[in-house]
Amino acid sequence: MAHPSVPVVPALKDELDIVIPTIRNLDFLEQWRPFFQPYHLIIVQDGDPTKTIRVPDGFDYELYNRNDINRILGPKASCISFKDSACRCFGFLVSKKKYIFTIDDDCFVAKDPSGKDINALAQHINNLLTPSTPFFFNTLYDPYRDGADFVRGYPFSMREGAPTAISHGLWLNIPDYDAPTQLVKPLERNTSSNRYVDAVMTIPKGTLFPMCGMNLGFNRELIGPAMYFGLMGDGQPIGRYDDMWAGWCAKVICDHLGLGVKTGLPYIWHSKASNPFVNLKKEYKGIYWQEDIIPFFQSVSLPRECTTVQKCYVELSKLVAEKLGHVDPYFQKLSEAMVTWIEAWDELNTPSLAAPETKTK
């Protein structure tokens, strides 16, 4: 006698939101339907709020435009960027879920070297639900993956690892290059199966990285208040540094609180190369400024009293004004926006969703 099949419930179905910033119809979701349809979407519409954004039928979603942002945040809406994908962090702010996956609308399902579709969301979930190893590097990369383990010489006292706060995925086809590199390598594509690296690794404590927001997962309860994508786009002197700013802030806070950051799998297919000349106009100040920004973050030391992400972030905002204010007045403005962001976060989030106090390491 045949038994009825038990439906498979997708992992974290009721604990994860997918956040998508956009200015266009979301036809790209059709390709992602097998993987995304069970989950709730938060769509942040950038640009003209009177424009109608079409979402394919069958998806559970809420959509916010600039009018909604202004209505919900009031004067604090000034901390949310306009005409820049940095607006996605509004979705992080209003979500009530434990986990976030965010993706750009020009990213599609990639295939692994065997030709199988890659479920990027499932890999991010796996990355986030398994520990990281930020305090001692494992030369077989992620020891918690099937078929891997800790190598000889890895301290047994460290094998429990650390909670994973961020899962940073990569891209096939169009690499995430800055404008000068785009101009030098206009035809370069990451399409060969030889370029597919089947690995996930923890970024060591004390090491910064350039975070990309187009294929990113994170534990909102552990690190959410630090995932602020800054002031970018309309009315600002810089663009295309939103995700990297969030990554630098989040990484120094993760290091302070003993949390892990993974990078590597999963891959998505990045379909559209942005205009390098437009990108250069957005980036050129950042290219200069980061020669001061990176040493600043490398030297940041947060006090032991900073035991929550919010406390760390407010302290970091003070250091931004103090140490980077001489670079450009923009950093004073950014410092103030960082505080406003935390005020908005605390206002919209209940204590149960606030980041827990964590012992520093």
Side-chain angles (χ1 to χ4, degrees):
M1 178 178 176
H3 295 282
S5 60
V6 178
V8 177
V9 178
L12 303 182
K13 174 182 179 294
D14 298 318
E15 298 181 72
L16 181 144
D17 279 334
I18 300 174
V19 175
I20 305 168
T22 193
I23 58 170
R24 58 181 62 87
N25 292 334
L26 294 181
D27 300 327
F28 91 115
L29 285 173
E30 289 294 356
Q31 195 180 101
W32 287 104
R33 187 181 290 276
F35 306 129
F36 288 2
Q37 190 163 359
Y39 295 87
H40 180 252
L41 312 182
I42 297 178
I43 300 162
V44 184
Q45 178 180 344
D46 198 16
D48 182 2
T50 65
K51 180 180 178 181
T52 300
I53 298 292
R54 193 186 74 82
V55 181
D57 292 338
F59 286 93
D60 172 37
Y61 71 93
E62 51 193 298
L63 187 151
Y64 298 92
N65 60 32
R66 192 70 201 188
N67 291 340
D68 299 314
I69 294 171
N70 292 338
R71 173 178 53 83
I72 292 168
L73 294 184
K76 294 184 178 68
S78 61
C79 73
I80 304 298
S81 298
F82 183 55
K83 296 187 178 178
D84 191 279
S85 64
C87 67
R88 82 177 74 225
C89 64
F90 179 78
F92 310 160
L93 192 66
V94 296
S95 171
K96 301 304 177 188
K97 304 292 179 62
K98 183 176 181 179
Y99 299 97
I100 294 288
F101 170 59
T102 184
I103 187 171
D104 284 4
D105 61 13
D106 62 348
C107 295
F108 294 85
V109 178
K111 294 183 182 295
D112 67 18
S114 72
K116 181 182 177 182
D117 284 349
I118 297 169
N119 184 346
L121 180 54
Q123 180 66 53
H124 277 296
I125 290 171
N126 185 69
N127 291 348
L128 290 167
L129 293 183
T130 53
S132 295
T133 55
F135 310 117
F136 199 92
F137 188 78
N138 191 55
T139 51
L140 273 182
Y141 306 122
D142 188 350
Y144 305 102
R145 289 188 71 190
D146 290 341
D149 212 321
F150 294 96
V151 298
R152 182 170 54 90
Y154 200 101
F156 281 87
S157 61
M158 294 184 175
R159 294 191 180 195
E160 287 187 1
T164 301
I166 298 173
S167 171
H168 179 254
L170 300 175
W171 343 268
L172 295 175
N173 194 34
I174 308 293
D176 186 32
Y177 285 159
D178 54 37
T181 308
Q182 282 183 290
L183 289 167
V184 172
K185 298 181 172 182
L187 302 179
E188 184 158 294
R189 298 292 182 269
N190 184 24
T191 53
S192 167
S193 61
N194 295 328
R195 299 291 302 144
Y196 182 99
V197 180
D198 185 18
V200 178
M201 65 186 74
T202 298
I203 301 172
K205 180 180 180 180
T207 300
L208 297 174
F209 76 112
M211 189 174 81
C212 173
M214 74 174 76
N215 175 24
L216 181 70
F218 63 92
N219 184 321
R220 187 174 175 275
E221 290 186 5
L222 287 181
I223 199 62
M227 299 299 279
Y228 174 50
F229 277 44
L231 290 176
M232 304 282 154
D234 192 52
Q236 308 302 334
I238 186 175
R240 284 174 54 85
Y241 274 80
D242 53 329
D243 42 9
M244 291 185 289
W245 180 263
W248 296 327
C249 292
K251 184 58 166 63
V252 298
I253 293 174
C254 283
D255 288 351
H256 176 74
L257 296 178
L259 304 173
V261 178
K262 292 181 179 179
T263 189
L265 300 178
Y267 285 98
I268 49 86
W269 184 269
H270 185 206
S271 67
K272 187 180 71 176
S274 50
N275 186 310
F277 296 101
V278 173
N279 290 346
L280 187 60
K281 289 178 65 177
K282 296 178 180 180
E283 293 174 356
Y284 79 94
K285 286 191 175 182
I287 292 170
Y288 287 109
W289 290 349
Q290 70 185 36
E291 300 305 317
D292 291 291
I293 294 171
I294 300 305
F296 161 73
F297 280 108
Q298 288 174 329
S299 67
V300 164
S301 178
L302 296 170
R304 293 185 63 85
E305 297 74 43
C306 291
T307 53
T308 67
V309 177
Q310 284 96 326
K311 290 178 181 178
C312 290
Y313 204 74
V314 170
E315 181 66 24
L316 189 56
S317 74
K318 298 174 185 175
L319 294 173
V320 167
E322 177 186 339
K323 303 294 185 180
L324 294 177
H326 72 279
V327 176
D328 191 272
Y330 166 78
F331 289 99
Q332 179 63 48
K333 185 178 180 182
L334 178 57
S335 169
E336 294 167 1
M338 293 168 71
V339 175
T340 302
W341 162 263
I342 292 297
E343 291 172 350
W345 185 279
D346 289 342
E347 186 175 301
L348 292 184
N349 291 279
T350 62
S352 63
L353 283 179
E357 296 231 348
T358 308
K359 290 183 179 179
T360 60
K361 295 191 177 182

